[in-house]
Amino acid sequence: MPALKNLTLKPGKKSAEPNYVLVIHGGAGTMIRDGSTPEQRAKYRAVLSRALKAGYEVLKSGGEAMDAAVEAVSVMEDCPLFNSGHGAVFNVAGKNELETSLMVSKPPASHPAMPSSRRGSSVTLITHTRNPSHLARALYLAPQLAPHPMVSGAAAEATGALLGVRQVDPSYFWTEARWKEHRRGLGLPEDPVEYPRPEIPDDTNSETTDVASLSDDKDKETWEPLDLMPTGTVGAVALDIRGCIAAVTSTGGFTNKLVGRVGDTPVMGSGFWAEEWERSGGFVKRNWDRLRGKSKYEGVGVSGTGNGDYYIRRAAASNIARRMQYLGESLDEATQNVIDDLFKEGGLGGVIALDREGNVALPLNCGGMYRGVIRPDGVPLTAIFFDEQLTEL
């Protein structure tokens, strides 16, 4: 299937109003329209809207892009519909190994002492952290404890625990739908369900999204995911009123991945990126840009979703920034070209991206991508399939 023509969403007319925006995705790839029901699709869009509103409240109050992106991602991590946190897929050994990342285009205003060279943090092989995105944020803000841009495993989670990041028993991540996908993918019978449900109610309290509550059928306890054998992630990119861009991504990887596999989500430049740079050009161009009200700086934030192995090989996320900076491509052109290149090599997926002016791009080259955008008007716009326009639920 050819890549979908990128439809860049531009901000409203220039005004004195603060310019902030949040764009999210809940994974891309194998969702199929045929056989899905309106109720099923509405559940996904309801959670996307909830995530957008959570991040919007942070931006509306003048908060940091980083915090808005984490808030949005946390909502999806708490929902079993998405391949992250509580809905994460299983590896080949029947275990959950999660990954997450955070990156900012410049240090957040709330932490002015943060070195300008420290722009992100990522973690892989997570097995106990309830909300991986919280761990990425905590480690980023603790350079003395976690000076590296990427860490992994038990030591990283222990550091997170010292910083107050909530830990849970690994059984918290179990869901029946993902467990059956795991067994089905290995050619094993789906029943009996052998992996134990969590027995500690504290780990599955009201903070976790009850999928049945999203439906009119309140007595329906079971649910079926729209995406089959997912390879996607969840992610958010936010622009705050100070011009800072933050990208946050979280995933369970792909179903029946090898034990210890590291995907693109924690690999800086592959599955995520955020950066700003000074506009190039001589005296005339700089003055022309100033007369047009353009900032001295350009910037971009990216979160990818799909088959991460291809994103790693292409350094997909940072490639978008380089195309904008050195080739003079627009956000629309750069994201579309990268998605097209991935498709040519067999890499299916999509990206969400925004620039410093508030333009948003959501290109994909597969059947669909759970996605949404919210601007200062506070209206959450969402879509699922490749040929859908963003609309209000």
Side-chain angles (χ1 to χ4, degrees):
M1 185 182 82
L4 172 68
K5 175 64 178 176
N6 193 359
L7 299 175
T8 302
L9 302 176
K10 298 182 180 299
K13 294 181 179 179
K14 297 290 184 181
S15 69
E17 293 296 320
N19 182 30
Y20 55 88
V21 61
L22 171 67
V23 56
I24 66 171
H25 71 77
T30 56
M31 59 282 296
I32 301 172
R33 189 197 307 273
D34 295 341
S36 67
T37 66
E39 180 188 54
Q40 190 178 34
R41 298 191 292 269
K43 289 178 181 179
Y44 280 90
R45 294 187 62 188
V47 180
L48 292 174
S49 295
R50 188 182 300 174
L52 288 168
K53 290 176 181 178
Y56 169 80
E57 289 302 321
V58 176
L59 295 174
K60 180 183 178 181
S61 63
E64 299 282 358
M66 171 183 66
D67 297 333
V70 170
E71 282 296 312
V73 167
S74 297
V75 170
M76 293 183 282
E77 287 175 333
D78 289 340
C79 179
L81 291 174
F82 299 99
N83 178 20
S84 64
H86 187 48
V89 300
F90 292 90
N91 65 17
V92 69
K95 305 297 181 183
N96 304 103
E97 292 182 322
L98 287 68
E99 302 177 316
T100 188
S101 57
L102 176 150
M103 193 170 187
V104 292
S105 61
K106 59 182 178 181
S110 57
H111 294 77
M114 188 70 69
S116 60
S117 60
R118 183 176 175 83
R119 297 213 322 277
S121 180
S122 66
V123 193
T124 188
L125 304 181
I126 298 167
T127 58
H128 287 81
T129 300
R130 178 188 169 110
N131 290 97
S133 62
H134 294 192
L135 180 58
R137 182 187 184 279
L139 295 182
Y140 168 70
L141 294 176
Q144 298 83 5
L145 294 177
H148 311 300
M150 179 179 175
V151 291
S152 68
E157 292 192 278
T159 302
L162 290 174
L163 296 170
V165 179
R166 185 177 178 183
Q167 305 296 297
V168 294
D169 185 88
S171 61
Y172 164 78
F173 303 110
W174 185 90
T175 60
E176 183 175 340
R178 297 305 187 204
W179 181 250
K180 287 183 175 180
E181 286 177 348
H182 156 66
R183 291 180 60 81
R184 188 163 57 244
L186 295 178
L188 300 173
E190 295 180 6
D191 295 315
V193 177
E194 298 173 0
Y195 198 93
R197 281 185 176 274
E199 297 179 356
I200 304 174
D202 291 345
D203 287 345
T204 54
N205 60 21
S206 59
E207 297 172 23
T208 302
T209 300
D210 177 9
V211 177
S213 70
L214 303 174
S215 169
D216 293 333
D217 185 0
K218 305 301 183 184
D219 296 326
K220 186 175 182 180
E221 297 181 355
T222 61
W223 57 274
E224 288 297 330
L226 192 57
D227 49 338
L228 306 174
M229 306 293 285
T231 60
T233 64
V234 304
V237 186
L239 169 69
D240 64 31
I241 59 175
R242 289 164 293 275
C244 182
I245 300 172
V248 175
T249 311
S250 180
T251 187
F254 64 79
T255 303
N256 293 334
K257 62 185 180 180
L258 295 179
V259 175
R261 180 257 185 182
V262 177
D264 63 314
T265 291
V267 178
M268 193 173 286
S270 296
F272 71 102
W273 191 252
E275 180 183 10
E276 71 172 22
W277 59 90
E278 190 170 349
R279 292 181 183 274
S280 61
F283 175 81
V284 173
K285 185 178 185 301
R286 289 198 302 271
N287 278 277
W288 175 239
D289 286 340
R290 186 162 55 248
L291 288 172
R292 292 188 295 162
K294 288 187 175 292
S295 168
K296 180 181 179 181
Y297 296 95
E298 290 185 272
V300 67
V302 181
S303 176
T305 176
N307 190 325
D309 294 348
Y310 291 89
Y311 285 67
I312 293 172
R313 297 183 188 111
R314 299 292 303 183
S318 60
N319 194 8
I320 291 171
R322 298 288 73 78
R323 298 186 75 100
M324 293 174 66
Q325 182 179 12
Y326 296 131
L327 299 181
E329 293 183 350
S330 66
L331 180 71
D332 177 29
E333 294 167 332
T335 54
Q336 190 66 59
N337 284 330
V338 167
I339 287 299
D340 287 345
D341 287 344
L342 287 169
F343 183 77
K344 292 173 184 176
E345 295 191 357
L348 299 181
V351 299
I352 57 171
L354 61 80
D355 64 21
R356 212 170 183 275
E357 296 181 0
N359 297 308
V360 171
L362 309 93
L364 61 151
N365 61 22
C366 53
M369 177 170 71
Y370 309 113
R371 57 200 186 274
V373 175
I374 195 166
R375 295 190 179 278
D377 61 9
V379 178
L381 305 176
T382 60
I384 298 177
F385 299 105
F386 76 97
D387 57 350
E388 288 183 327
Q389 298 294 322
L390 292 167
T391 58
E392 186 177 4
L393 182 62

